Amino acid sequence: MDDVGNAQNRDGVRVRERGRTVVLAGARALLLAVASLAGSTLLLVLFLVSLALVPALGLGLLTTPRVVAWVRAWANWRRLVAVRWGGVRIPPRYRAAPADAGRWARALWVLRDPATWRELGWLPLDAVLGFLTALVPAALLLYPFEGFALALGLWRVFTDGTYVGWWYGFVPIAGPGSALAAGALGAVFLVASYWLTPPILRLHFLCTRTLLGTDRRELAERVRVLTETRRDAVDTSAAELRRIERDLHDGAQARLVSVGMDLGTAEALIEKNPQKARELLARARQSSADALAELRDLVHGIHPPVLAERGLGDAVRALALRLPIGTEVTVDVDGERADAPVESAAYFAVSEVLTNAVKHSGAERVSVELRYADGSLRIAVTDDGRGGARVGAGSGLAGVERRLGTFDGVLAVSSPVGGPTTVTMEIPCELS
């Protein structure tokens, strides 16, 4: 009897959890339906108007980069919810403008980017196809309640029983009998929504990936992006080696040379002037301690010992402890570890994002969520600051994007004015 009762309890828990999943999927689908229709339509109109203004004294060249930034923010938000709500990854493929590009050059660069025109083509399709594929799961969950309301007496609003005053699906509402049939059909729809609402919502995200993702015609662009990320990685590596060499030459090496000279002088004076020799020995000891501290800082900047010894999760926790604002870290990687280069890239990317949050956002709280799912390491950093962060030339986030790009990773930023700011990073990898 206990086993039967436990099995019934487990079944009840599964049904309740499935019910919550269905209701949540329906609510998200309704939000996406409204957002797809309104947001994509508005941005499409703004984009076309901005392009139409290009011949008018070049006014469109001033407005187009701003409108494209809005479109990209909108597309990146859709990519973010696709990953979070549907587990569907849609990596962005934007061409980074040169850091020294002026206003006009930047506008022309944006217009030449294939991603700009791909997203322009996506907007009308999202307003129609995206709206419909999001509306269906929402309607499948909500429509049954109309049938129940008709069966409970709402039919009297539409007819007095002598004529057909309403249709529910394929059922003509002409009296109490047909109203009960509508209630039965609503029950069928409700059962169908229990099984179909989450999969149909995922179909919406798959359609979005088809429309926003890359195709074979963009393989050349993909090769170009990989070439750029490889060049960036080589340049970054060379710059890092120069920095290490400079720090060793100007810091630890100079101090160690000074230690050697002090020890040599102390050796010569130890019998003639013991007091002076002791002073030189004390100075040598202090110089050696300073050199050791500089070497530790240098090693920490190359590859933090806690990262090598205890993994990314503990390294990020240690990083959070040094921040001057409250930071919460959540790690879900089941004790497994990624390859050392991936962990290093993720660590320094998180470090850069947290540094930006402390310096520029005015945040009081930051949360870091690190987890592994669907073959990717996903990190989300959220702060309650003033918002307005964006990926652009000269910003720290542009450097983070280049760092992740070396590993085919992606960066998505959601930062409305007034906050909060969420920076999501994703790196394809395998854990071991």
Side-chain angles (χ1 to χ4, degrees), residues 77 80 389 412-416 420-424:
W77 180 76
L80 187 63
V413 180
S414 174
S415 183
T421 296
T422 299
V423 178
T424 304

Side-chain angles (χ1 to χ4, degrees), residues 62-307:
L62 297 175
T63 59
T64 298
R66 174 61 61 184
V67 175
V68 169
W70 293 341
V71 173
R72 290 185 175 182
W74 173 241
N76 283 331
W77 180 76
R78 300 294 292 278
R79 291 183 176 98
L80 187 63
V81 298
V83 170
R84 289 186 172 181
W85 295 353
V88 177
R89 180 172 173 266
I90 312 173
R93 302 296 182 209
Y94 298 129
R95 295 173 57 184
D100 57 349
R103 182 186 299 272
W104 304 107
R106 188 175 300 277
L108 293 174
W109 184 275
V110 166
L111 291 176
R112 293 192 186 105
D113 190 347
T116 299
W117 301 102
R118 181 174 61 249
E119 291 180 352
L120 175 61
W122 164 71
L123 289 175
L125 293 173
D126 182 59
V128 178
L129 185 60
F131 167 73
L132 292 176
T133 54
L135 183 63
V136 169
L140 195 60
L141 181 64
L142 298 175
Y143 194 47
F145 295 98
E146 181 184 341
F148 300 153
L150 289 169
L152 292 174
L154 184 64
W155 64 272
R156 294 186 177 89
V157 176
F158 304 107
T159 179
D160 59 4
T162 61
Y163 60 92
V164 175
W166 190 254
W167 284 79
Y168 180 75
F170 55 82
V171 177
I173 307 301
S178 57
L180 291 175
L185 181 59
V188 172
F189 284 144
L190 188 62
V191 172
S193 71
Y194 182 83
W195 298 107
L196 297 179
T197 295
I200 297 177
L201 179 59
R202 180 174 170 82
L203 177 63
H204 167 84
F205 295 128
L206 293 174
C207 290
T208 303
R209 182 173 66 181
T210 300
L211 298 174
L212 271 182
T214 56
D215 55 26
R216 293 183 181 274
R217 292 173 298 178
E218 298 180 23
L219 285 179
E221 176 67 14
R222 177 63 176 149
V223 171
R224 187 196 61 78
V225 171
L226 289 175
T227 302
E228 284 189 357
T229 57
R230 183 182 64 181
R231 185 175 64 248
D232 288 340
V234 172
D235 292 343
T236 301
S237 177
E240 187 70 9
L241 288 174
R242 289 193 298 270
R243 182 188 68 83
I244 293 171
E245 182 182 8
R246 183 179 63 252
D247 290 347
L248 285 173
H249 182 272
D250 297 341
Q253 178 177 315
R255 291 187 183 278
L256 291 175
V257 170
S258 176
V259 168
M261 294 176 63
D262 288 342
L263 290 176
T265 305
E267 184 181 11
L269 294 176
I270 196 161
E271 293 182 356
K272 298 178 180 179
N273 192 345
Q275 180 64 29
K276 184 63 174 179
R278 281 194 294 271
E279 292 177 2
L280 291 172
L281 290 173
R283 190 168 68 183
R285 183 174 63 250
Q286 181 60 44
S287 296
S288 66
D290 293 341
L292 181 60
E294 289 183 358
L295 287 172
R296 285 174 176 168
D297 291 340
L298 184 62
V299 170
H300 188 276
I302 299 172
H303 195 77
V306 66
L307 179 62

